[in-house]
Amino acid sequence: MKNTILNLLLVSIVLSSYSQTQVIAQNESKPNIIFIVTDDLGWSDLGCYGADLNETPNIDKLAEKSMVFTNSYAAGSVCSPTRASIMTGKTPAKLNYTVWSEAATGNAEERRLRGSKYLEPLTLENLPLEEISIAEKLKSKDYLTAHVGKWHIGDYMHFPNTQGFDVSVASSQRGAPPSFFYPYTGIVYDEFRFVGDLGMDADGKYFTNREGEYLTDRLTDEAMKMIEDAGSRPFFLNLSYYNVHVPIEAKAGDITYFKNKLSPEYHHQNETYAAMVKNVDDNVGRLLHKLDELGISENTIVVFTSDNGGVIQKYKDKVVTDNFPLREGKGSLYEGGIRIPTMIFYPKNPGKGQQIDVPISTIDYLPTVMEIAGIPNDLDNIEGESFLPLLKGEEAKSLENRALYWHFPHYYYAVKPVSSIRDGNWKLLEYLEDGHIEIYNLADDLEEKHNLADTEQLKANKLLSKLRKWKTNVGAKGIRLNPNYKKQ
């Protein structure tokens, strides 16, 4: 008995010594960097951004010690383009990666067969291997680089390991899991789909002890294991949740809770979606607790964001979410499709919930991370700018004075091919089929209800000229007439 107690004490001392050594090494090293990228999470889906039905206490707590960006934008209105922009610091138009991977070559042919008047451009299916990624840059500074979760910017020959990631878990060539419940497999659009390396053991057998496991929980388990394995080495973790993309599936108990909470005055009316948001929040809480447990919270930068606006269409006869007060949702270049929730915990200057109104974009992450890590910016063809001054509490006039651009030459539900520019508080949309424009002053009209094209013609012409010049400079591809089109 005495020997057992003595052994336990020795183990405790060893573990404590290791933990203290890890903390000291971490505090003397470069900062760890974690990106938590959600899928299709709308701007107003979080409690700290005004959600009503949804509850996000852990994310709200993160916001209370972070800087909260109120004018944060996805560079694309759908997933793959934005994810490519995060990795490269380039707009989807410059990359010729303006639609999700599966639609890159299929949509144009499909529309031709339907007799459409216009054809969408053929765009890339995979992020080219020659593009330099965040992971590659950080790896050059001896960071351990890990990707966990959704990838969706390339097939198996373009997976995270080909873009500088040392570790890659649960990537998939497709954008959504067949199911959020183990074993994460199923038939979707007449093809068998699965989430890589999660469902089976090395012998190709299903894990019988994982029945009922929820995907986001598992991804967090894998992420925390990676953090522990990193030891004293600085790490970059790209934790990319599949939540809250369709299929809209959640744990039964959580669904019941939000169903009982539903109220007619709420903007959000989908109890299953609210349960999916809750699961993201639960797992953010678990991850942050792990950082505290390891004693590395004060040396870890945490970025929480989304890849585009929330889905406003129906799934199984129920509207998925509501981006109020923003107009429209995923796929659209109105604010509801591209404005995203973003908060960043920067330990050297904790934001304490401070709201930052300066517009930033997902193209800005690469140069920001490079500056944080002390990596010289030798990439002369990226479009993003570092917003590190904002994190330090300093002014960033270059960010305040620049324009942001979008280009979506595709069809998506009610969305038609469109380009857009935001310059200051002014925003213009150019529709590519007929060339008509809309212009809004976001300072007075966040909901984009009042098109000022007739009364602000000089402003509209100036913005349109800048937008078209940008499209020319980046080689943006447009729609084209269908030679086989026959007017009905």
Side-chain angles (χ1 to χ4, degrees):
M1 182 67 177
K2 289 182 179 179
N3 288 338
T4 301
I5 294 172
L6 180 60
N7 288 336
L8 287 173
L9 286 171
L10 287 172
V11 169
S12 177
I13 292 169
V14 169
L15 288 176
S16 176
S17 175
Y18 169 76
S19 178
Q20 290 174 9
T21 301
Q22 183 182 17
V23 172
I24 292 171
Q26 280 277 347
N27 287 339
E28 292 177 350
S29 74
K30 307 174 188 71
N32 306 309
I33 302 169
I34 298 177
F35 280 12
I36 304 173
V37 183
T38 53
D39 195 352
D40 291 354
L41 186 73
W43 187 70
S44 53
D45 277 340
L46 304 176
C48 52
Y49 277 83
D52 41 35
L53 176 64
N54 308 343
E55 296 179 10
T56 54
N58 293 299
I59 296 172
D60 296 349
K61 185 177 179 180
L62 174 63
E64 288 172 2
K65 67 176 186 176
S66 302
M67 293 187 179
V68 179
F69 290 80
T70 60
N71 284 277
S72 176
Y73 287 97
S77 59
V78 293
C79 46
S80 298
T82 296
R83 292 167 187 274
S85 76
I86 291 173
M87 287 294 113
T88 65
K90 298 179 182 179
T91 57
K94 186 163 189 172
L95 292 166
N96 189 28
Y97 206 139
T98 49
V99 75
W100 65 92
S101 298
E102 298 94 305
T105 58
N107 265 4
E109 179 67 10
E110 180 183 343
R111 294 191 65 78
R112 181 186 68 78
L113 295 174
R114 290 208 307 262
S116 173
K117 184 176 180 180
Y118 295 97
L119 297 181
E120 301 174 33
L122 298 181
T123 58
L124 295 180
E125 296 178 82
N126 305 297
L127 182 66
L129 298 181
E130 58 266 25
E131 293 292 341
I132 305 299
S133 74
I134 283 184
E136 288 173 296
K137 281 297 184 182
L138 289 173
K139 193 171 182 177
S140 72
K141 282 289 187 178
D142 198 37
Y143 272 77
L144 174 66
T145 55
H147 174 88
V148 178
K150 176 168 176 170
W151 182 240
H152 206 205
I153 50 176
D155 59 21
Y156 299 105
M157 299 303 292
H158 298 79
F159 259 23
N161 302 91
T162 69
Q163 291 287 358
F165 286 96
D166 298 306
V167 180
S168 174
V169 179
S171 296
S172 174
Q173 184 174 342
R174 300 310 187 194
S179 171
F180 278 93
F181 290 97
Y182 182 86
Y184 321 118
T185 60
I187 303 296
V188 181
Y189 296 119
D190 299 322
E191 68 176 11
F192 179 77
R193 294 188 182 183
F194 60 96
V195 178
D197 57 39
L198 287 188
M200 297 182 179
D201 62 19
D203 298 321
K205 297 179 180 179
Y206 287 117
F207 295 107
T208 56
N209 63 335
R210 292 191 178 276
E211 293 300 325
E213 179 183 74
Y214 193 75
L215 180 56
T216 312
D217 298 337
R218 177 69 181 281
L219 296 183
T220 306
D221 290 344
E222 299 290 341
M224 293 191 298
K225 181 178 183 297
M226 188 284 301
I227 292 172
E228 291 176 332
D229 291 346
S232 61
R233 187 177 174 186
F235 63 83
F236 168 56
L237 168 63
N238 190 45
L239 177 54
S240 184
Y241 289 133
Y242 289 88
N243 271 32
V244 287
H245 197 290
V246 297
I248 305 302
E249 297 176 344
K251 298 176 183 179
D254 291 338
I255 295 173
T256 299
Y257 171 81
F258 287 105
K259 187 174 183 179
N260 292 334
K261 184 188 173 183
L262 278 172
S263 178
E265 67 266 19
Y266 287 163
H267 294 288
H268 298 101
Q269 289 289 324
N270 191 323
E271 65 273 18
T272 308
Y273 184 82
M276 293 183 79
V277 174
K278 175 186 180 299
N279 186 261
V280 171
D281 184 75
D282 290 343
N283 280 285
V284 169
R286 292 177 60 210
L287 184 73
L288 296 178
H289 178 71
K290 174 60 68 174
L291 298 181
D292 290 338
E293 186 180 86
L294 295 174
I296 59 175
S297 296
E298 297 308 310
N299 193 44
T300 303
I301 297 167
V302 179
V303 177
F304 180 93
T305 192
S306 179
D307 61 353
N308 49 247
V311 174
I312 60 171
Q313 286 76 31
K314 289 185 177 180
Y315 179 83
K316 293 187 176 179
D317 298 323
K318 196 154 194 174
V319 172
V320 175
T321 192
D322 189 321
N323 298 309
F324 179 85
L326 306 183
R327 181 173 176 179
E328 294 295 333
K330 179 179 179 178
S332 169
L333 295 190
Y334 291 116
E335 293 294 286
I338 54 177
R339 193 183 290 218
I340 52 177
T342 301
M343 62 196 70
I344 301 176
F345 174 66
Y346 183 64
K348 290 185 177 180
N349 183 38
K352 299 180 180 179
Q354 177 186 357
Q355 292 191 352
I356 305 295
D357 297 327
V358 177
I360 63 169
S361 167
T362 50
I363 61 174
D364 299 326
Y365 286 127
L366 174 62
T368 302
V369 166
M370 287 174 61
E371 186 174 3
I372 288 171
I375 303 172
N377 190 349
D378 56 357
L379 302 174
D380 57 4
N381 62 347
I382 65 172
E383 297 166 276
E385 296 185 31
S386 172
F387 55 76
L388 181 56
L390 297 177
L391 298 181
K392 291 180 174 180
E394 302 168 356
E395 288 189 344
K397 291 296 183 183
S398 62
L399 290 170
E400 295 176 28
N401 296 330
R402 70 168 174 174
L404 293 174
Y405 301 92
W406 294 266
H407 181 60
F408 189 66
H410 305 282
Y411 295 85
Y412 181 85
Y413 290 98
V415 178
K416 295 183 178 181
V418 59
S419 303
S420 184
I421 175 176
R422 174 173 173 167
D423 194 358
N425 287 317
W426 290 95
K427 181 178 174 186
L428 177 138
L429 296 94
E430 177 193 17
Y431 284 88
L432 308 182
E433 287 184 336
D434 58 9
H436 88 268
I437 63 171
E438 298 175 9
I439 182 171
Y440 301 94
N441 185 341
L442 297 178
D444 302 324
D445 185 21
L446 183 60
E447 298 177 51
E448 295 172 292
K449 288 183 175 181
H450 307 292
N451 178 13
L452 304 176
D454 291 335
T455 58
E456 294 287 349
Q457 293 182 5
L458 289 177
K459 174 64 71 174
N461 289 339
K462 182 179 179 180
L463 292 176
L464 183 60
S465 177
K466 289 182 72 170
L467 175 60
R468 288 178 174 175
K469 182 178 180 180
W470 169 78
K471 286 196 287 185
T472 299
N473 289 341
V474 299
K477 292 192 174 181
I479 58 175
R480 62 196 190 281
L481 285 169
N482 183 355
N484 298 314
Y485 173 71
K486 293 182 180 179
K487 190 175 182 179
Q488 301 298 321

